[in-house]
Amino acid sequence: MARCKYHFRMNFSALRPLVFLMAICLATPSLATERNDVISREDALVRLFEESVFKGWTWPIASNNQKPFKIEIAVKWQAPLNIWILHEIGFGYPLSWEDDYENFRAFIATLLLELSQLTGLPITEYPPTEGADLNAAVYIIGEDYIEKYYENFNRAGLARLGTQSFVCSGWPQPNEAGTLIRGYMLLRTDLPKKLAQHCIVKTMLEALGLAGIGGRQQVSRDRIDGHPLYPLSLEVKLLLRTLYDPRIKHDMARADAMTQARTIIGNLLRAIDQQGEGALYQR
């Protein structure tokens, strides 16, 4: 009996390295899958960043001489944003909010605060009568006022926006060095609340430099085309935060900016895993 018992112990001891190796082999696919998921997530966000930031547009401004602008450098704001919101019957709300004005004001205040925290820029709304140095405007206009406001825009810009399908659009105006100096945002006033919220957020993100955000033009007047942009998703927050990271300069070449963006996105994802979404805020 003693001999058999000793023999069993020797076999079990000999099997220990094999059992350990088997455990590693069984665990490896799970670890590899988790690592691949992380890489895939980073790659998808990097692609989305490039699609959102480096997109051409035509400024529908009379002084633009109808020339399209193709982005090959990073463009972003360097100065505080002073925004005014103008409605054709007064200072600033879509008609769908006319019986819910306090909630509209709260929505605007919350949105501007979050955009400021993500970009690190002071973003303030001013009444248009205060005479502040305003550099960004939101026009909330009804169909009968669209042609009136369109008189300020060139024909090439109007053709691009489309008077019939126009629902909302935003565009920035950079100077020659790639610094954004003006922001314009237009949306129809006859939109349901959720769509009006989506349009305000979409146009503000576009004016901040995410020209391709959302991936498609909003052409429906009663439903959101694509994914709703409000509340801001983690992905959208991360894209805006990446653009306004100090490592991406306002005149940086596209290839250099994308190299930085990949590093920044990877770092931010790890910071979010450790600290939560608060890791994205710069203010």
Side-chain angles (χ1 to χ4, degrees), residues 7 10 27 30 32 37 41 58 74 138 150 165 186 206 255 261 264:
H7 180 68
M10 288 295 292
S30 176
D37 287 345
R41 186 184 182 196
T58 298
V138 180
Y150 276 169
S165 63
L186 272 72
E206 288 170 341
I264 294 165

Side-chain angles (χ1 to χ4, degrees), residues 78-243:
Q78 298 293 293
L81 270 76
N82 299 325
I83 297 176
W84 63 300
I85 303 176
L86 185 66
H87 186 278
E88 73 268 16
I89 60 173
F91 173 61
Y93 59 94
L95 288 180
S96 55
W97 256 297
E98 61 186 344
D99 297 323
D100 200 10
Y101 188 66
E102 292 304 317
N103 280 336
F104 174 71
R105 300 306 315 156
F107 157 67
I108 291 294
T110 300
L111 174 62
L112 295 186
L113 174 61
E114 190 158 28
L115 295 177
S116 177
Q117 290 174 325
L118 291 166
T119 61
L121 297 171
I123 302 178
T124 309
E125 181 194 351
Y126 289 93
T129 57
E130 281 196 0
D133 184 17
L134 304 173
N135 52 17
V138 180
Y139 296 93
I140 304 172
I141 53 181
E143 187 167 6
D144 52 341
Y145 281 82
I146 288 177
E147 287 299 330
K148 174 184 175 182
Y149 280 92
Y150 276 169
E151 291 174 2
N152 298 319
F153 304 117
N154 68 37
R155 292 300 166 189
L158 297 187
R160 188 176 180 87
L161 289 174
T163 58
Q164 297 302 316
S165 63
F166 170 75
V167 176
C168 57
S169 185
W171 58 95
Q173 180 182 345
N175 60 18
E176 294 298 324
T179 300
L180 298 184
I181 56 174
R182 292 285 186 274
Y184 301 91
M185 295 148 273
L186 272 72
L187 66 146
R188 303 180 67 95
T189 193
D190 54 342
L191 304 177
K193 282 185 183 180
K194 291 294 184 184
L195 179 51
Q197 276 185 323
H198 171 80
C199 272
I200 290 173
V201 174
K202 179 177 176 65
T203 57
M204 286 191 177
L205 290 171
E206 288 170 341
L208 283 166
L210 295 180
I213 196 69
R216 67 179 74 176
Q217 184 179 2
Q218 177 68 36
V219 297
S220 172
R221 301 184 190 183
D222 56 13
R223 72 177 187 279
I224 295 171
D225 288 334
H227 296 292
L229 292 174
Y230 191 81
L232 296 179
S233 68
L234 174 61
E235 287 75 16
V236 172
K237 291 179 183 180
L238 190 143
L239 295 180
L240 187 60
R241 169 63 177 81
T242 299
L243 177 60

Side-chain angles (χ1 to χ4, degrees), residues 4-40:
C4 291
K5 186 175 182 180
Y6 178 75
H7 180 68
F8 175 77
R9 284 178 177 173
M10 288 295 292
N11 284 345
F12 182 76
S13 177
L15 285 173
R16 281 180 180 172
L18 180 60
V19 171
F20 180 69
L21 289 173
M22 289 177 64
I24 292 178
C25 291
L26 289 172
T28 299
S30 176
L31 294 174
T33 300
E34 182 178 341
R35 175 59 181 161
N36 288 339
D37 287 345
V38 171
I39 294 173
S40 177

